[in-house]
Amino acid sequence: MVRAAVLPAVGAPLEITDIALPEPGPGRVRIRLAAAGVCHSDLSLTDGTMRVPVPAVLGHEGAGTVVSVGEGVTHVAPGDGAVLNWAPSCGQCHHCLLGEVWLCASALSGVGAVHARTADGTPLHPGLNVAAFAEETVVAANCVLPAPDGIPLTDAALLGCAVLTGYGAVHHSARVREGETVVVFGVGGVGLAVLQSARIAGASTVVAVDVSPEKEELARVAGATDYLVASATTAKDVRRLTGGHGADVAVECVGRAVTIRTAWESTRRGGRTTVVGIGGKDQQVTFNALELFHWGRTLSGCVYGNCDPARDLPVIAEHVRAGRFDLGALVTERISLDGIPAAFDTMIAGRGGRALIVFP
């Protein structure tokens, strides 16, 4: 039995309880978690914005140590460090064959499986595949990436979602070039990763936008050259900071219609807007045909940073080891499993960066 955070039903409060994990069968790996990040996607599962089978063990951003492996698993062994990959690619579907592994049709095929059981025998599903809000988890082998050398596992946990997403949004989706101007909407865990990645890409002006004035210091440490508290004049303010033209690139990390629209309006003619935030179906964004023609802007979605984790994790790890990317700067709170509900409340209130669950 291990302790875990269980979502009993959509809209219900999380329950921190004991669950019974099976031993890893063929092609599966058991991992003892060192740390797990509390991501907005986890919150989106609790309120039904994203739908997965429930009851479920939540958590999808984590790292830990391999405890045991099932038959056929050869790329990791007991005692190895591991980073969890919540969206593994099958390598065989249409998108994988095109090289777009982040759009794999089978990435979330494991969420309907029985992952564990409660003390009374109720079957539990694995949330977004990896069920990282638990002391230990059992996952498919393709959900396990060898942890990069030289990075503590508690820090490496952030690589599995926030950092891959933020880095990829800059380098693969928006394709920020040296000397360009960038505006980032939302200074949470992913937004902070975007800011650091824009700095690494050589952006000349990096404007951070958030509803909270208290996040300015966080943003500037991450690489923001300017900070704006979101308002009705945000787009005009961004243009003022970017020579009157607007930013070359806007990255939206919130997932709200008004923020997406403002990000679009903040980019220059011919600029690029990348939407990372996950919004609900009720968040409708509208454009008229004339403005689409006139402004010549590009608006694109971004799934998992358009990353191939196996390719990108070593690249990001080198940035971390070289001191160019500071994983610790994303974390504003270190908590236990029992602190997850309060971390959700903090997130809803728009405070702080990443809350990190650290296991004993």
Side-chain angles (χ1 to χ4, degrees):
M1 303 291 285
V2 299
R3 293 183 77 235
V6 174
L7 176 67
V10 173
L14 283 185
E15 297 176 356
I16 312 301
T17 186
D18 289 335
I19 65 170
L21 277 177
E23 289 303 313
R28 297 185 69 79
V29 180
R30 184 165 182 148
I31 293 173
R32 180 180 301 112
L33 272 297
V38 181
C39 178
H40 203 280
S41 296
D42 299 308
L43 183 61
S44 295
L45 295 179
T46 68
D47 64 17
T49 298
M50 297 172 63
R51 292 272 182 180
V52 295
V54 290
V57 180
L58 299 188
H60 63 282
E61 179 184 86
T65 303
V66 176
V67 175
S68 55
V69 301
E71 182 182 351
V73 177
T74 59
H75 72 296
V76 290
D80 288 350
V83 174
L84 296 175
N85 174 15
W86 64 270
S89 56
C90 69
Q92 300 174 341
C93 71
H94 178 69
H95 288 291
C96 285
L97 293 176
L98 288 174
E100 299 171 345
V101 298
W102 54 92
L103 298 178
C104 176
S106 301
L108 294 181
S109 61
V111 300
V114 175
H115 168 73
R117 295 183 183 274
T118 62
D120 65 5
T122 301
L124 299 170
H125 302 289
L128 291 179
N129 279 325
V130 296
F133 286 174
E135 295 169 331
E136 296 188 12
T137 187
V138 176
V139 300
N142 61 355
C143 289
V144 179
L145 298 165
D149 292 336
I151 300 176
L153 288 175
T154 48
D155 291 339
L158 300 164
L159 296 171
C161 184
V163 176
L164 277 169
T165 299
Y167 179 87
V170 168
H171 291 271
H172 301 320
S173 180
R175 298 181 181 179
V176 175
R177 299 181 288 265
E178 187 172 358
E180 288 193 311
T181 56
V182 178
V183 56
V184 181
F185 289 81
V187 185
V190 172
L192 289 168
V194 171
L195 290 168
Q196 292 205 47
S197 300
R199 184 192 65 217
I200 290 170
S204 60
T205 299
V206 182
V207 184
V209 182
D210 198 277
V211 296
S212 172
E214 287 77 22
K215 290 187 180 182
E216 180 171 359
E217 183 178 355
L218 276 175
R220 290 189 180 276
V221 168
T225 58
D226 299 273
Y227 189 84
L228 296 174
V229 177
S231 71
T233 64
T234 294
K236 292 181 179 179
D237 295 335
V238 172
R239 287 195 291 274
R240 174 177 52 80
L241 292 169
T242 53
H245 305 290
D248 295 301
V249 171
V251 182
E252 199 273 357
C253 304
V254 181
R256 295 183 63 228
V258 65
T259 316
I260 295 169
R261 179 71 210 196
T262 304
W264 162 269
E265 293 174 356
S266 297
T267 56
R268 66 169 174 82
R269 197 175 187 189
R272 287 121 45 213
T273 300
T274 288
V275 179
V276 177
I278 300 173
K281 293 180 180 179
D282 61 323
Q283 296 293 312
Q284 298 291 316
V285 189
T286 59
F287 306 91
N288 67 61
L290 181 60
E291 69 175 318
L292 290 173
F293 161 77
H294 173 77
W295 288 103
R297 295 166 174 150
T298 300
L299 177 68
S300 61
C302 179
V303 178
Y304 208 179
N306 293 9
C307 274
D308 177 348
R311 175 198 66 197
D312 292 312
L313 199 62
V315 175
I316 297 170
E318 184 53 38
H319 285 306
V320 174
R321 287 190 290 264
R324 291 184 292 269
F325 199 111
D326 182 1
L327 294 173
L330 274 62
V331 180
T332 53
E333 188 178 16
R334 296 176 186 268
I335 61 173
S336 67
L337 273 175
D338 297 293
I340 298 175
F344 280 170
D345 291 339
T346 298
M347 195 181 301
I348 292 169
R351 300 193 304 269
R354 204 43 136 220
L356 187 68
I357 304 160
V358 179
F359 294 90

